[in-house]
Amino acid sequence: MSATSSRDPRIGVFDSGVGGLSVWREIVRQLPGCDTVYVADQAHIPYGPRPLEEVRQFAEGIAAFLIREGVAVVVVACNTASAAALHHLRRRFPDIPFVGMEPAVKPAVQRTRNGTVGVIATPATFQGELFASLLERFAQNVRVIPQVCPGLVEAVEAGALEVPETEALVRRCLEPLLEAGIDELVLGCTHYPFLRPLIERVVGPGVEVIDPAPAVARQVRRVLEGAGYSEAALSVGIPRHVFFTTGDPAQFAGALSRLVGVTAKVDRLMWEDGNLRAERK
Ligand code: DGL
């Protein structure tokens, strides 16, 4: 599209589960005129411990579905899928812009006062080339400590945000980082912002917690502006938000209301030979 469009763009957003809603809510806050389509691949959650190649195949199937839904941009609201598949998706679907997640190493390195930064993310996120390249580009004179946090994605999926078991998991995962003396903590998985109050309690006021979602939403705006959408199309209107899961729609609807205060119908998607199709009722 070259001329300015007043049509509301649709933004596609996906994650393995509810984590991407931490990015979705920021997109909706910054782009209140845009429609959205959200896909949660809960049939395959968690992505984090899976081989990158497998996550890449899921990401490709979901992106193809979102493109068939007519989205103007696809937001890979999942650090794991971004690490595994972002370059591949851009090559495979060259006509659609993709916005991905990456651990916010750059701002953390800029802000650290003592030169020690912690990053929490899934194993696959740390394995990808993306993380290695972030360290190479931005972390020359700073110690960046990667830490995986087994169980946290599952706790957020289960809605167990403020229970003693989750607090114990958070303490166990952050302990080595606190012992190392970090003063910046990067949330490198989109599920973790829902645990932010708990994480902030555990790390205390001396550690700044960084969530990249606001920066990602700003990037989505830049991409849509670049595609010719007008300020009015991005900011004004009554948006339509639709939600799909490959898991249990009732469970996802409960999480939607608990995590982001949205009441909406959720539709089921089925995987069939690597492709997604909506279940006919
Ligand atoms: N929310 C995802 C991320 O940002 C991954 C969670 C998972 O499925 O392991 O990495």
Side-chain angles (χ1 to χ4, degrees), residues 15-20 41 44-50 76-82 101 121-123 125 153-154 157 188-192:
D15 180 39
S16 57
V18 299
D41 188 14
H44 293 136
I45 197 165
Y47 277 5
R50 292 178 185 270
V76 186
C78 174
N79 290 77
T80 307
S82 298
M101 307 293 304
T122 68
T125 297
V153 165
E154 290 83 349
E157 287 290 315
C189 167
T190 54
H191 279 73
Y192 301 163

Side-chain angles (χ1 to χ4, degrees), residues 98-280:
F98 285 85
V99 175
M101 307 293 304
E102 61 180 28
V105 170
K106 186 181 174 189
V109 164
Q110 284 164 349
R111 297 164 78 106
T112 179
R113 289 143 290 145
N114 70 7
T116 315
V117 164
V119 181
I120 51 175
T122 68
T125 297
F126 290 131
Q127 276 158 32
E129 280 166 30
L130 199 74
F131 189 68
S133 119
L134 280 175
L135 293 186
E136 205 178 288
R137 280 180 293 149
F138 304 119
Q140 295 299 348
N141 302 308
V142 166
R143 190 170 168 222
V144 177
I145 309 170
Q147 175 70 43
V148 295
C149 299
L152 287 197
V153 165
E154 290 83 349
V156 174
E157 287 290 315
L161 305 185
E162 287 287 350
V163 301
E165 292 78 4
T166 307
E167 178 165 347
L169 282 177
V170 168
R171 283 190 187 282
R172 197 173 318 138
C173 127
L174 295 181
E175 200 172 40
L177 300 178
L178 293 173
E179 271 169 16
I182 60 160
D183 67 357
E184 298 287 330
L185 176 65
V186 175
L187 304 184
C189 167
T190 54
H191 279 73
Y192 301 163
F194 291 117
L195 294 169
R196 189 172 184 148
L198 173 55
I199 290 171
E200 283 183 335
R201 266 203 321 278
V202 170
V203 297
V207 178
E208 185 182 36
V209 175
I210 303 184
D211 170 12
V216 169
R218 286 195 293 277
Q219 178 62 12
V220 175
R221 170 178 280 275
R222 279 192 289 273
V223 165
L224 291 172
E225 284 170 351
Y229 286 99
S230 67
E231 175 56 30
L234 300 181
S235 303
V236 187
I238 300 170
R240 252 192 98 231
H241 303 302
V242 295
F243 299 91
F244 294 96
T245 179
T246 58
D248 175 2
Q251 196 206 353
F252 189 84
L256 252 185
S257 133
R258 254 192 333 269
L259 296 174
V260 290
V262 168
T263 308
K265 180 170 160 294
V266 177
D267 284 313
R268 178 116 199 261
L269 291 177
M270 312 290 288
W271 281 106
E272 249 179 31
D273 300 330
N275 297 308
L276 281 176
R277 65 165 181 82
E279 190 177 59
R280 286 185 201 86

